[in-house]
Amino acid sequence: MIMNVLKAHPSVLAAASQTLQAHTRLRELAIQIQQIPSPTGNEAQVAQWIAEHLSRLGIQEVLTDNLHNVLARIPGQHSRSVLMVSAHTDTVFPLDTDLSYRVVEEEGLVYGASIGDNSAGVAALLYLAECLCQVTRPPVDIWLVANSGEEGLGDLRGMKAAVDRLQDRLGASIVIEGMGLGRIVHQGLGSKRYRISVKAPGGHSWSDFGSPSAIHILSQIAGEIAQWQVPGTPRTTFNIGMIDGGTSVNTVAQHASLELDLRSEDRNELKALASRTEKLVARFRTDLLREPEVEIALDVIGDRPSGQIPANHPLISAAQEALQVSGIQKSSLRISSTDSNVPLSRGIPSVCVGATEGGGAHRAEEWINSSLMPYGAHHLLLLTWWAARWLSGDVS
């Protein structure tokens, strides 16, 4: 299927062949990107660098929006439908993180904070842009998107904005993560995140003993949540990931808050768990009516929609075949929470694929196997070209 499509496009075959020799280029790109701090909410610097890089390639239409998304259009032979290929630019590491890196040449490994998540993914996107600038005009418009806000409380805001912009013509989406070569994510794991905050009068631990404590009240709420039972099938989880509050050991706390993460493979189970959270907070508010100075707030701080395409979808079959043609014999279908959640939730076919192998995600010693990056780039180019042909109606 893939090779039959490519035989009609010798320039694409030639570019794909060149990707297998691009180890040094891909590694250099990943390191250049990794050296630019870009925590969620602070992607402006990396967005400017990417926009300038894409413009230097000769791409005429390069846009940056107010969320620091960078969008570049590769014009197609027609624009009835659009293919989007994306990689997120934000990282989990704060601005003052040590971004020094280490290369183990003989093993092809590169170590450094955010090198895999998602510097390698962005590098693959930019190298794809280089390839597409060298080949024949694609069948449809291809929009390359370096998007913000994928991690943590970014709540996929960059991808949501990109899909909003392109949705009228968006026919399919390919999302790139730096790690996970051989994995094909076709199910978006839904999640909902809340911040529960308590305010109380507080006071001195001795003289005001008995005054409502925000921490005591929040601890009761957290204790009830910790005892929840959730189904194993469909897999459903909850986690209190952060707790904050209080002033000192001898102060009755005036404020306290927690952040709660809810996830499920099934959107109805997720809705049920969200409803359970809201009812729990409502009950505590009712129980504390006799304490008018106590306030309990429930705020949604994250809402990642779910969606999926079936395992036999043509886009998945193409991704699997492209891996085999690229020399990656093992592949697996996965469910995960990625930028693909957004198009999938709106009925737009999407897969998330990896640029290389790696590990230690979200740790200072994160690493990638840069020697495998050419295979990931080869896979990405084949899949991108096939998807563009598919959207044009040239392949089934």
Side-chain angles (χ1 to χ4, degrees):
M1 179 171 66
I2 290 285
M3 294 309 297
N4 288 338
V5 168
L6 295 178
K7 284 176 182 177
H9 299 278
S11 65
V12 181
L13 277 175
S17 179
Q18 290 174 9
T19 64
L20 297 176
Q21 311 302 319
H23 173 215
T24 300
R25 176 67 179 141
L26 285 159
R27 183 177 69 185
E28 287 176 350
L29 271 174
I31 291 172
Q32 284 179 292
I33 296 157
Q34 184 264 347
Q35 288 293 290
I36 306 171
S38 55
T40 306
N42 290 273
E43 301 97 337
Q45 185 181 355
V46 73
Q48 180 180 351
W49 187 92
I50 291 168
E52 291 172 355
H53 180 92
L54 291 169
S55 295
R56 285 195 298 270
L57 294 178
I59 300 175
Q60 297 299 307
E61 192 170 350
V62 179
L63 313 171
T64 304
D65 66 16
N66 61 356
L67 294 176
H68 307 302
N69 286 329
V70 183
L71 303 95
R73 183 174 76 99
I74 306 295
Q77 295 174 28
H78 69 74
S79 56
R80 293 192 300 273
S81 190
V82 164
L83 171 66
M84 178 174 65
V85 185
S86 68
H88 72 86
T89 59
D90 61 319
T91 80
V92 300
F93 298 98
L95 285 171
D96 59 355
T97 299
D98 179 3
L99 294 179
S100 58
Y101 64 92
R102 179 166 57 94
V103 177
V104 183
E105 194 73 49
E106 61 274 16
E107 298 177 15
L109 304 183
V110 183
Y111 292 82
S114 80
I115 190 66
D117 190 9
N118 193 32
S119 300
V122 178
L125 179 73
L126 297 184
Y127 188 76
L128 175 66
E130 293 182 19
C131 293
L132 293 175
C133 288
Q134 298 169 11
V135 303
T136 188
R137 192 173 181 181
V140 300
D141 282 1
I142 299 175
W143 280 88
L144 306 176
V145 178
N147 63 279
S148 62
E150 191 273 346
E151 299 286 3
L153 298 182
D155 198 31
L156 308 184
R157 59 174 171 255
M159 179 54 65
K160 290 173 181 176
V163 173
D164 285 345
R165 177 187 286 264
L166 301 174
Q167 182 157 347
D168 289 346
R169 293 181 294 129
L170 186 56
S173 159
I174 300 169
V175 172
I176 314 164
E177 283 286 346
M179 299 183 285
L181 181 60
R183 294 200 299 259
I184 303 168
V185 175
H186 69 110
Q187 298 182 71
L189 177 62
S191 70
K192 195 151 190 178
R193 292 165 177 170
Y194 290 99
R195 180 180 292 115
I196 302 175
S197 307
V198 181
K199 293 182 180 179
H204 192 281
S205 62
W206 176 259
S207 58
D208 295 302
F209 178 72
S211 178
S213 163
I215 287 179
H216 289 185
I217 295 167
L218 188 71
S219 296
Q220 292 175 54
I221 295 173
E224 289 207 21
I225 292 172
Q227 298 302 312
W228 284 353
Q229 298 295 313
V230 292
T233 304
R235 191 176 179 210
T236 303
T237 67
F238 62 87
N239 181 62
I240 298 173
M242 294 186 66
I243 293 182
D244 182 56
T247 304
S248 70
V249 69
N250 61 334
T251 301
V252 179
Q254 289 183 286
H255 56 84
S257 64
L258 64 79
E259 293 182 1
L260 173 66
D261 175 85
L262 311 175
R263 300 186 184 219
S264 182
E265 295 175 337
D266 182 89
R267 74 176 62 186
N268 290 328
E269 287 293 344
L270 182 59
K271 286 181 181 179
L273 201 54
S275 176
R276 191 173 184 179
T277 302
E278 293 164 5
K279 288 177 181 178
L280 174 65
V281 170
R283 176 165 58 80
F284 267 83
R285 285 174 177 155
T286 300
D287 291 347
L288 290 166
L289 286 176
R290 63 184 181 279
E291 303 287 355
E293 294 180 320
V294 174
E295 298 178 12
I296 304 177
L298 179 68
D299 298 300
V300 177
I301 57 174
D303 191 355
R304 295 187 173 215
S306 61
Q308 62 181 330
I309 53 176
N312 62 352
H313 191 280
L315 187 60
I316 295 175
S317 300
Q320 291 170 322
E321 184 179 342
L323 282 169
Q324 292 177 347
V325 173
S326 302
I328 308 299
Q329 298 305 315
K330 292 184 179 180
S331 64
S332 60
L333 302 184
R334 299 291 184 93
I335 180 171
S336 187
S337 180
T338 71
D339 277 319
S340 274
N341 282 44
V342 179
L344 285 171
S345 72
R346 303 187 190 186
I348 300 166
S350 180
V351 292
C352 177
V353 298
T356 188
E357 290 181 358
H362 296 186
R363 301 174 188 169
E365 278 291 285
E366 192 167 295
W367 62 272
I368 58 168
N369 186 339
S370 65
S371 66
L372 294 177
M373 292 185 75
Y375 300 99
H378 188 269
H379 171 248
L380 180 62
L381 177 57
L382 299 190
L383 179 60
T384 297
W385 197 261
W386 180 91
R389 288 289 304 273
W390 177 63
L391 288 177
S392 72
D394 288 348
V395 296
S396 58

